[in-house]
Amino acid sequence: IKKVPLFAQLNEHQLNALIEICTRRTYKSGTILFQEKELGSVFYMVLSGSVKIYTTSTSGEEKILTICKSTESFGELSLIDGKPRSASAQTLEECTLLTITGQSFLDLLRNHFDISLGIMQELSNRLRDTNQQVYDLTFVDARTRVIKSLIKMANSHGLRKGTTIVIKLVLNYDEISQLAGVQKSTLMQVIRDLEEKKILMISPSEFTLELTKLR
Ligand code: CMP
């Protein structure tokens, strides 16, 4: 819990008090933690693994908004504004998560300005990221969006090896297209092209991205 940036300013005593009000649980890969429009009751922090945050259209199509990884948190919006969940959350791999009830979360915000500031910074990051996504979906071509999504995946699940990045595949092809906001057929076309140009090497469990050829 000490590694969670949100709680970096808490002293030992405060951290111990926090641990008392947290519940720790391990979830299997693919567990739906909550769905959009449900009432929110808890705040989540990721200790290990990763969680996809996504929204679903009336026809059942999904758009991944973000991937939360270790030390990141989610589920604060509905606790702060009392409205239903703004998106759904599902584990992408086995995850250990900490939860705090809505009431305890609001008490933390009231009593610790640093935690409130941390949440504000997190919300600011999300707004900036969402603005970037609106920009990309409005002005940027599909091929570039796919490449940007590969870079996002590299940031959350990549390991740098010389001039390459090895990306652990926690998303399947449907999910990668939902992250990029492109049709699956477009994703497959771009991936085939990147493979032909030796920019991307594909194996069942990982992608390897050659950075020197990426532009
Ligand atoms: P809440 O609305 O309670 O439940 C869904 C959560 O997903 C939300 O809180 C945020 O923590 C998170 N979330 C919603 N929209 C976005 C977004 N655009 N980018 C990142 N995270 C989001």
Side-chain angles (χ1 to χ4, degrees), residues 157-169:
H157 288 89
L159 197 67
R160 181 91 189 242
K161 287 190 183 163
T163 63
T164 65
I165 294 189
V166 178
I167 306 168
K168 180 182 166 198
L169 277 187

Side-chain angles (χ1 to χ4, degrees), residues 36 55-63:
E36 197 170 341
T55 185
T56 312
S57 74
T58 43
S59 55
E61 288 168 314
E62 293 178 2
K63 170 76 183 85

Side-chain angles (χ1 to χ4, degrees), residues 34 53 65-66 74-79 84-87 126 130:
F34 57 76
I53 304 291
L65 300 170
T66 195
F74 58 93
E76 72 295 333
L77 290 186
S78 56
L79 305 179
R85 293 289 192 195
S86 59
R126 286 194 186 150
T130 303

Side-chain angles (χ1 to χ4, degrees), residues 12-32:
E12 206 68 23
H13 175 71
Q14 291 166 324
L15 276 175
N16 286 335
L18 179 65
I19 288 168
E20 289 290 307
I21 59 164
C22 288
T23 306
R24 185 190 153 113
R25 211 182 124 186
T26 299
Y27 298 81
K28 279 193 220 149
S29 174
T31 307
I32 294 180

